[in-house]
Amino acid sequence: MKRLTRKAEEALLGAAVLRPEELTQLRWIPAGAFSRPDHAALWQTLHAVDWSTVEPSQITQTLTQAVDQIEEQGIRQMLSPVRLSQLVDVCPSPGSAPLYGGMTLEAAIHRSVEHSGEQLRRTARQTEVDQAQKALEQAAKTGQRFESLDAAWKAAPEMVRTLLDTQPAQAIAPVPRTERARTDLQAEVDTVASLLHQPGQLAEVKGWLQKADFTHPQLSAAYQAMRTLDERHAPIDPLTVAWEAQRHPGAQPSEQVLGELEQTGMSGGAASWAGERVLYTSALDRLDAAGHEIRNLGRHPSLAPGALVGHAEQSLRPVHADHERLQHAAREPELASDKEPAPGRSRRTPELAATDHEMEI
């Protein structure tokens, strides 16, 4: 796609050099849409000249003089008269400048979406767990960027959007991750153990901690069973949890694991403290997953700009939901920082079978 992007930009610039008087109809293409600094500089230079006062015979001289005013010497050298002549030669059809402009803008939107995904992944992997809320604020800024991209595309002429906003021949299915970015099995164990020992703590966490926040299937199943029992005001103990868990599909917490969780929970500690760690870790991992999907969407050439931005915004929805849950957790009075942590890492952890992790693609 890089080669085609360069050719589209060159065709647009060549058309503009040949017919600069038509540049007023192309102001919807920002200089930032170009992939090369010399292309962006030339586009800005072309728009800085009032071509309505320039005679056709003076176009080449006027443009050369304007290029000479560019501050960066390297850019000036790249935009030599020979290079400007080459741009004219490679333009297939000067009358198709709006379409070339739409292609240039489409490629820029793809690059921006891909870059946004990469930024989200870096943030998810580099942020400390207790700073998860700040990391998720990055997703809100990314959402605003997508809105700007959508607005930029809608500023293009309808004719251009009609020609380029075609549907892909096949449904888009981005390659999923094959490895989690963040896990904290100890926090998951401590949370479930504390809740199993003191079920009354469910009132403090069930409003913001979900089954999907647990990475280990047995712990996830045990937590969901406790939530279900709590909703029915039923007693919660290892036996009732095991009995309820068997009604749900998926993994089942073994008798041994439940017994060890009960023993671990006797050490004391607050489930809300460990639960926060589970939530924050899970939220950062979903941020990484969203970044992975958005990055791959940006690399998918068959997605037209409108569909690309729509898919990217949809990928951010779980992250926005996590942001709201983190804010909910932070507002809970039970989550005061002076509250005793859940059982520490030095305590014995139930022997849980590890989930399979493959190499990241």
Side-chain angles (χ1 to χ4, degrees):
M1 186 172 182
K2 290 183 178 180
R3 185 179 66 85
L4 288 176
T5 297
R6 177 179 58 81
K7 292 176 71 69
E9 292 179 8
E10 291 176 343
L12 172 61
L13 292 168
V17 172
L18 282 168
R19 300 180 180 179
E21 69 278 3
E22 297 181 7
L23 279 166
T24 55
Q25 306 299 320
L26 300 172
R27 296 192 184 279
W28 49 273
I29 308 167
F34 291 86
S35 61
R36 293 170 46 123
D38 56 326
H39 288 180
L42 178 57
W43 190 248
Q44 288 179 312
T45 300
L46 283 163
H47 281 275
V49 177
D50 182 5
W51 295 103
S52 65
T53 63
V54 178
E55 295 293 332
S57 60
Q58 298 297 315
I59 289 178
T60 300
Q61 180 181 352
T62 301
L63 180 56
T64 301
Q65 292 173 345
V67 168
D68 288 339
Q69 301 303 311
I70 297 175
E71 293 184 5
E72 294 186 40
Q73 180 180 358
I75 297 295
R76 292 200 304 272
Q77 292 175 342
M78 294 173 72
L79 297 176
S80 64
V82 173
R83 173 59 175 159
L84 296 178
S85 177
Q86 290 175 341
L87 291 174
V88 170
D89 292 339
V90 299
C91 178
S93 173
S96 299
L99 183 57
Y100 301 148
M103 294 157 61
T104 297
L105 182 57
E106 176 179 336
I109 291 173
H110 273 265
R111 290 196 305 274
S112 184
V113 169
E114 179 182 352
H115 179 66
S116 296
E118 292 173 343
Q119 281 187 317
L120 290 177
R121 298 204 80 183
R122 281 195 299 270
T123 300
R125 290 169 180 251
Q126 296 174 2
T127 301
E128 297 293 333
V129 173
D130 58 0
Q131 298 297 311
Q133 188 156 331
K134 289 184 178 180
L136 265 62
E137 291 173 0
Q138 178 67 38
K141 295 178 181 178
T142 302
Q144 294 172 359
R145 178 184 297 180
F146 291 160
E147 291 177 0
S148 298
L149 294 177
D150 186 55
W153 181 244
K154 289 178 179 177
E158 184 177 359
M159 176 271 295
V160 171
R161 288 184 281 117
T162 300
L163 291 174
L164 294 178
D165 251 339
T166 55
Q167 294 295 321
Q170 297 179 342
I172 302 301
V175 179
R177 292 184 311 167
T178 54
E179 185 181 67
R180 295 182 65 93
R182 308 293 285 259
T183 57
D184 191 340
L185 183 59
Q186 184 66 56
E188 295 181 24
V189 168
D190 290 344
T191 302
V192 177
S194 184
L195 291 171
L196 188 61
H197 181 63
Q198 295 181 349
Q201 297 179 96
L202 275 164
E204 302 174 14
V205 302
K206 65 182 181 181
W208 44 267
L209 188 61
Q210 298 177 354
K211 172 184 177 181
D213 295 326
F214 292 84
T215 62
H216 200 283
Q218 289 194 50
L219 297 175
S220 176
Y223 176 69
Q224 182 58 42
M226 285 190 285
R227 285 189 54 153
T228 302
L229 292 168
D230 180 70
E231 291 172 0
R232 298 173 184 166
H233 305 288
I236 295 176
D237 57 43
L239 179 57
T240 60
V241 169
W243 194 267
E244 177 60 35
Q246 71 178 347
R247 302 184 186 278
H248 302 272
Q252 306 294 315
S254 68
E255 182 177 345
Q256 178 184 350
V257 166
L258 288 171
E260 292 179 354
L261 286 170
E262 186 179 32
Q263 290 295 319
T264 302
M266 290 180 182
S267 301
S272 58
W273 187 88
E276 266 193 321
R277 303 281 301 182
V278 174
L279 172 59
Y280 289 3
T281 301
S282 179
L284 287 173
D285 187 68
R286 268 188 292 273
L287 180 64
D288 178 79
H292 172 88
E293 186 169 304
I294 289 169
R295 180 196 65 184
N296 286 354
L297 287 169
R299 294 174 177 176
H300 215 299
S302 66
L303 276 174
L308 172 60
V309 173
H311 281 293
E313 289 176 332
Q314 187 173 2
S315 298
L316 277 180
R317 289 177 185 173
V319 181
H320 294 323
D322 281 342
H323 192 206
E324 294 179 1
R325 287 200 294 139
L326 263 65
Q327 292 176 323
H328 184 187
R331 289 194 297 266
E332 289 288 345
E334 291 83 4
L335 299 182
S337 59
D338 59 350
K339 198 162 188 185
E340 181 186 357
R345 298 182 182 273
S346 61
R347 294 176 173 84
R348 183 168 181 269
T349 301
E351 295 183 3
L352 296 165
T355 52
D356 292 334
H357 293 307
E358 301 176 13
M359 184 179 295
E360 178 70 73
I361 292 178

